[in-house]
Amino acid sequence: MSGERPLRTPPAPLERVAVEAPRIGVVAGGLGAYWPQFDGLLDQVERTNEEIRSRLGSLGAEVVDFGLVSDVPQGAEAARRIKGSDLDLLLVLVSTYMTSGQILPVLRDVAVPIVLVSLQPSPKMDHATFGTGEWLAYAGSAGLPEIGVALERLGKPVRAVAGHVDDERAWGRIGSFVAVARTTRLLRSARHGMMGHLYPGMYDIASNLTSVLATLGGHVEVLEYDDLRVRYEAVTDDEVDAVVRTVDATFQRAEGADEENVRFQARVSAALDRLVADKALDTLAYFHFGQPSDIYYRLASGFPIGATLLSSRGVPTVTEFELRAAIAMLITGALGGGGSLTEGQALDFEAGVVELGHNDAADMAITDSVPTLRSLAVFHGKGGGGVSIECGIALGPVTQFSIGELGNGRLKFIVSEGTAVDGPHIRIGNTTTRVDFGCDPGLWTERWAMSGSTHHWAMARGHLADDIELLAALLGADFERVQP
């Protein structure tokens, strides 16, 4: 992941939901004919491989070691063991030359994404003292193209990392693979709640659930507002008091903030916590109008605090039934950048920036200051009113990430990197961030509008485009980087 390291810890007493470590398999190879010919070569190759496995573990991966393959029978045996190991990624360590034939059973039979890794023991050989055996410990680059050809002929993507064991560029690429593997593991088991109905007329955000799950994995749990109502009615005063204490610790209140509405939203927040726990949800997309005389209308107006607290804990909870924006926030959160719901607000041509934001679903792990609770007489385009969340994302590198759904049903990952900059903000109880994309704000808006993005998406801290492009490749989604 390039750019400044994003913020990942929400303010106390909030705690981020842990993301499970990826299971990354490692299988090494070397030509068995070399071992009896050159004393010490196997030991050096094993030392190199152990350094790689150790550092891989320090990146947060659960490493599953399948040993060294020296010939074809060993390759076939390794393939049998790897297939039942619930891996998210397999690294094939090419620390010396090996034939493609001996590793072919692994390349052919293993269904998980494969990355070829060739890291030599140091930046260069000691040319004055090295003989053939010492050179062969640096000869992974000789075998790398051969194994790449084998993957291509098998109809599989060729992914390779080459460098030395202390090469930060190479380890940056490996770190991206680890982060993306962590994200694919999360997506495979993620449970997405959809409660209520589509905002009338917002056709761009309507999702074909089969298409979404076919590409990303996981499950969609279809919910009704009655699922929230019964939990709202069961919330105790002690639960409400606990949420209010969290609100007092994590928000500031603008003058005139409605205490009664804060307590009402705290009760809704407690009910949302129960719903998320009961249904084991990783995201929740919601919307409902209702009638002013019924409980559902009132519940639908009570989300700003609860949606922000859940989003800040790493459970994106977004309005207007925006399933794919919620998943985009889940992905950027897993990649370390957090995620807030956003859309276009306005263009400042004098400053050369695009102003972006939305209501609800702020992520306090990446805000620039303590969010403000501001009372609004009406929530624009929605029923009711009450306190709403006002804040911006911290200054520095940011990434916009949208998951579009094309006319052919394919998903498209759309990203753009920019910089959150200082400047005036409107005070209307929304998130607002001023972003400099390095070009005319009208030009950026044109290109983004033509990309296939929905009118909602995730904004995250840091520059995550490279990781998201890698994720798209592993998942089989289309990809576009908007960077005029």
Side-chain angles (χ1 to χ4, degrees), residues 200-218:
M202 286 187 182
Y203 297 155
D204 63 320
I205 62 177
S207 295
N208 181 321
L209 301 188
T210 301
S211 296
V212 171
L213 300 181
T215 300
L216 303 179

Side-chain angles (χ1 to χ4, degrees), residues 211-242:
S211 296
V212 171
L213 300 181
T215 300
L216 303 179
H219 168 72
V220 170
E221 187 78 0
V222 178
L223 304 167
E224 299 179 355
Y225 263 69
D226 274 328
D227 293 307
L228 181 63
R229 176 188 60 81
V230 295
R231 290 167 175 82
Y232 174 82
E233 292 170 350
V235 168
T236 67
D237 288 342
D238 286 344
E239 289 176 278
V240 175
D241 291 342

Side-chain angles (χ1 to χ4, degrees), residues 359-426:
N359 58 293
D360 305 359
D363 183 350
M364 286 188 279
I366 59 173
T367 54
D368 58 355
S369 59
V370 178
T372 298
L373 291 180
R374 187 176 300 281
S375 284
L376 304 178
V378 295
F379 294 148
H380 67 276
K382 302 178 177 67
V387 296
S388 190
I389 313 302
E390 188 174 286
C391 61
I393 288 180
L395 305 185
V398 291
T399 298
Q400 316 304 313
F401 173 37
S402 176
I403 301 178
E405 184 178 323
L406 305 178
N408 60 10
R410 288 184 58 81
L411 297 190
K412 182 178 182 181
F413 286 9
I414 305 157
V415 300
S416 185
E417 294 178 339
T419 303
V421 297
D422 201 5
H425 291 241
I426 53 174

